[in-house]
Amino acid sequence: MKIELEKFLELSGRKKAGYIWDYYKWWIIGVIAVIIALTVFMRDYRENSKPTYLYAEMLNSYLGYDTDGANTLYDDFVRCAGIDLTREHLTIGTEMTLAVDDFNTTMMAFQQRLAANYSAGQIDVVIGPKDIMERPANCDAYADFNTLIDDDLADELADRGYEFYYFDPSADEIEDYEGDDLTPYWAGIYLDNCSYLNNMGDSGAYPVAETEGERPVFTIAANSNRTDHAVEFLKFLIE
């Protein structure tokens, strides 16, 4: 060992580095991998341990292909609501795409994730085309806006030309409704004329609706524990 140490000390700096790498490279790689894994774990743990301010999903949105537009929406709401991201967590998902008749693997995974988030009470707001939104409504997923929106905000929405979406569980096209009450109720807001979303990016957040079923609807989850923040998000979009 003494002879080897003397040989090592006689080497140049570059040769010393090469010597160490040749003999200890797997240990070095292992230590680096462990450090990276611990760093990622601690970062994710800190992020996930923060309370959620709002979790919103925008289904079938162009923002899923427009990163700049999605980031703008995120940053604008953080600034408007005064959210401290070091203390609270905000999620505005834009990548989820669903279809009425298409059941490919990706869409089935999205649908299962959405259903799981509804069941767990994690999701607060869902925005998407009416045809898509009618499906979760069959399972009592959407809150009654009459219990969430005060008269002043309702009047403001009407004055600004926003139409109210009423879910009718007794309609012929609605099958397997699980609720006991078959009376239509106020379950959302149509966002056709939301100038903020329509002017976002090159094409807006949603395509111009050519049919009733393509009109984007804003809804709030019935089991959300953050309905005040969900209403705040609605106000942000319309103002």
Side-chain angles (χ1 to χ4, degrees):
M1 291 180 62
K2 183 177 179 181
I3 295 173
E4 289 298 322
L5 178 60
E6 290 175 351
K7 290 181 179 179
F8 177 76
L9 293 174
E10 292 174 357
L11 297 175
S12 64
R14 186 172 182 179
K15 289 185 177 180
K16 285 179 181 177
Y19 179 91
I20 293 172
W21 176 252
D22 287 340
Y23 281 90
Y24 301 105
K25 62 182 176 181
W26 295 115
W27 285 99
I28 295 172
I29 291 173
V31 170
I32 292 174
V34 169
I35 292 173
I36 292 174
L38 287 174
T39 302
V40 172
F41 172 79
M42 293 301 297
R43 182 198 64 192
D44 291 346
Y45 176 79
R46 286 195 301 267
E47 185 67 21
N48 293 330
S49 63
K50 292 187 295 188
T52 297
Y53 187 88
L54 181 78
Y55 176 17
E57 284 285 359
M58 299 180 66
L59 309 179
N60 297 24
S61 170
Y62 282 158
L63 298 182
Y65 309 97
D66 183 357
T67 304
D68 291 338
N71 290 337
T72 297
L73 171 63
Y74 185 95
D75 294 340
D76 285 352
F77 184 59
V78 168
R79 183 169 53 253
C80 179
I83 303 171
D84 184 354
L85 294 177
T86 64
R87 296 175 177 270
E88 296 177 293
H89 183 69
L90 171 67
T91 298
I92 303 178
T94 57
E95 78 282 359
M96 194 177 294
T97 301
L98 299 177
V100 175
D101 300 318
D102 191 351
F103 297 100
N104 63 47
T105 304
T106 301
M107 289 191 180
M108 288 182 68
F110 281 151
Q111 189 172 27
Q112 291 170 0
R113 190 177 85 184
L114 184 64
N117 286 332
Y118 269 123
S119 299
Q122 295 180 348
I123 202 162
D124 304 302
V125 171
V126 179
I127 303 171
K130 178 185 174 183
D131 279 348
I132 303 299
M133 302 301 290
E134 295 255 308
R135 290 191 168 195
N138 299 356
C139 303
D140 296 333
Y142 302 146
D144 186 344
F145 271 49
N146 284 303
T147 65
L148 303 176
I149 304 297
D150 59 35
D151 292 340
D152 290 340
L153 180 55
D155 292 341
E156 181 181 357
L157 288 165
D159 292 342
R160 290 174 178 266
Y162 286 93
E163 295 182 43
F164 300 166
Y165 164 67
Y166 287 87
F167 171 62
D168 184 3
S170 65
D172 292 339
E173 65 271 17
I174 305 299
E175 299 177 357
D176 301 325
Y177 179 66
E178 297 182 2
D180 297 326
D181 188 0
L182 297 181
T183 304
Y185 70 95
W186 182 16
I189 305 292
Y190 286 107
L191 294 180
D192 308 71
N193 60 333
C194 179
S195 59
Y196 177 75
L197 292 179
N198 291 342
N199 292 318
M200 183 165 286
D202 297 330
S203 306
Y206 284 95
V208 177
E210 297 181 356
T211 65
E212 179 70 15
E214 294 177 351
R215 299 179 67 189
V217 180
F218 179 103
T219 64
I220 296 176
N223 60 350
S224 168
N225 294 317
R226 299 175 288 267
T227 55
D228 53 339
H229 293 168
V231 172
E232 184 179 24
F233 187 51
L234 173 62
K235 292 179 180 179
F236 158 76
L237 292 176
I238 68 170
E239 294 176 357

